[in-house]
Amino acid sequence: MSFTIARTVEDALAAIAAGARPIAGGTDLVVGARHGKAALPADLVAIDRIAGLDEITVGAGNGGVTLGANVSHHAIEHHPVLAGSYSALADGSALVGSPATRHVGTIGGNVMNASPAMDTGAGLVVLGAEVELRSVHGTRRVPIGELWSGPGRTIAQPDELCVAVHLPQPAPNSGSAYLRLEYRRAMEIAVVGAAANITLAADGTVAAVRVALSAVGPTIVSVTGLDTLVGSVDDVADAVAAAASEQATPISDVRASDRYRRHTVGVMARRAVVAAARRAAGETIAIPVNRTLGIGAAS
Ligand SMILES: Cc1cc2nc3c(=O)[nH]c(=O)nc-3n(C[C@H](O)[C@H](O)[C@H](O)COP(=O)(O)OP(=O)(O)OC[C@H]3O[C@@H](n4cnc5c(N)ncnc54)[C@H](O)[C@@H]3O)c2cc1C
């Protein structure tokens, strides 16, 4: 049993190569262990004190943004570039847990924990994010949609650390949104969630749309068959709602039946398309969409 505090990425990689599990904010790992979900791993390496891993770099790689793995949900929610140009991600981070959870919980922990109900995943998919995985053997970049292989599982090797999440520059005239159905306003996870990224043509119709769903399958669901979908925002939103409900494979549990989830994810996907289109048209809808538009739990 060991607990190491890494000060550099290299320290962390060496500890992980020797069998330790990384711990960032601990809001999944430690809280899960306390709730009896899984015992704490015998060997842990704390990565929260690694210098630079909590930085947000704007203008990285062809004008995109790079988030260090330890960037907190609070930092994402309040970053002007992320809130303005990568709104679906900021909408998701702003919904995570409580203010305390958002200060401590990290983007790296959220994506590597691989919950299908995670609130940043759908936004990252529609924004075309890639994760950077590093081990003592080298570095690779993986499209975010290929990272998750099942509930709580990723394709990362046990000795790989997520060091960054890369976001490409958004297309001109585009906007995005993530929203979720929830039963209460805080300390809740999504009953279902949906993110949309919309690009508008000069006449205000939809020229391109990407949609992804949370909590309706073993991993985040990227809605397919939308590549040629164009037209009025209303028509596109209707088509997306139908596709989302059809492609969702939800389970029934104590929080909702599979039928209810299948129906409501279509409703959420429709609303995500409309909110994203409004943002693409230049309207400011404050982060998170859920609170601003009164979606989800009542106040
Ligand atoms: C009260 C409460 C409410 C919550 N509400 C929400 C919510 O509404 N929405 C939501 O999405 N989540 C929610 N969560 C879950 C959690 O806060 C987030 O998933 C958070 O982003 C996890 O980050 P962390 O740094 O705390 O991860 P940790 O607990 O430190 O780690 C989580 C997992 O990822 C691994 N890991 C961490 N960092 C890395 C890395 N850089 N590279 C490789 N592996 C890594 C760890 O080994 C572990 O397996 C909630 C948690 C709590 C306790």
Side-chain angles (χ1 to χ4, degrees):
M1 187 169 279
S2 68
F3 182 78
T4 315
I5 296 175
R7 302 280 174 187
T8 65
V9 168
E10 289 67 33
D11 285 351
L13 295 181
I16 294 168
R21 181 92 166 268
I23 179 164
T27 61
D28 273 315
L29 204 61
V30 176
V31 176
R34 283 201 189 131
H35 290 176
K37 231 163 94 184
L40 264 187
D43 300 306
L44 287 170
V45 54
I47 60 170
D48 58 316
R49 276 167 253 188
I50 297 178
L53 222 54
D54 59 353
E55 282 173 10
I56 298 173
T57 310
V58 177
N62 296 330
V65 172
T66 294
L67 310 173
N70 285 349
V71 170
S72 71
H73 295 292
H74 174 85
I76 292 171
E77 175 187 359
H78 294 285
H79 193 281
V81 174
L82 297 175
S85 301
Y86 301 90
S87 318
L89 172 61
D91 282 330
S93 280
L95 293 176
V96 171
S98 63
T101 324
R102 292 194 286 278
H103 271 91
V104 176
T106 64
I107 187 71
N110 201 225
V111 299
M112 297 307 286
N113 192 57
S115 162
M118 77 179 87
D119 281 311
T120 65
L124 289 172
V125 168
V126 300
L127 293 168
E130 289 185 348
V131 289
E132 184 176 337
L133 300 174
R134 198 176 299 174
S135 74
V136 290
H137 306 295
T139 299
R140 61 177 172 145
R141 274 164 77 144
V142 178
I144 190 92
E146 294 171 22
L147 177 70
W148 305 299
S149 52
R153 291 198 306 273
T154 72
I155 53 97
Q157 297 301 310
D159 66 348
E160 283 181 312
L161 185 71
C162 170
V163 290
V165 175
H166 299 280
L167 296 163
Q169 189 171 32
N173 304 318
S174 68
S176 66
Y178 169 78
L179 48 91
R180 74 181 188 187
L181 179 64
E182 55 190 6
Y183 294 147
R184 54 180 194 186
R185 285 207 141 191
M187 315 303 272
E188 170 68 312
I189 55 168
V191 181
V192 298
N197 187 0
I198 297 284
T199 304
L200 292 179
D203 64 359
T205 59
V206 174
V209 54
R210 292 182 75 174
V211 176
L213 314 171
S214 50
V216 290
T219 64
I220 298 292
V221 175
S222 180
V223 178
T224 58
L226 306 181
D227 293 352
T228 55
L229 186 60
V230 291
S232 73
V233 173
D234 251 11
D235 287 351
V236 166
D238 285 343
V240 162
S245 288
E246 195 187 305
Q247 292 177 35
T249 57
I251 55 164
S252 295
D253 61 17
V254 288
R255 304 174 71 247
S257 69
D258 55 352
R259 263 185 76 204
Y260 182 69
R261 282 197 163 100
R262 190 180 285 282
H263 173 72
T264 52
V265 81
V267 176
M268 291 297 131
R270 189 181 205 294
R271 291 178 181 179
V273 167
V274 172
R278 285 170 59 181
R279 281 177 168 158
E283 187 177 336
T284 301
I285 306 174
I287 306 292
V289 164
N290 264 63
R291 305 287 175 261
T292 308
L293 299 186
I295 294 164
S299 49

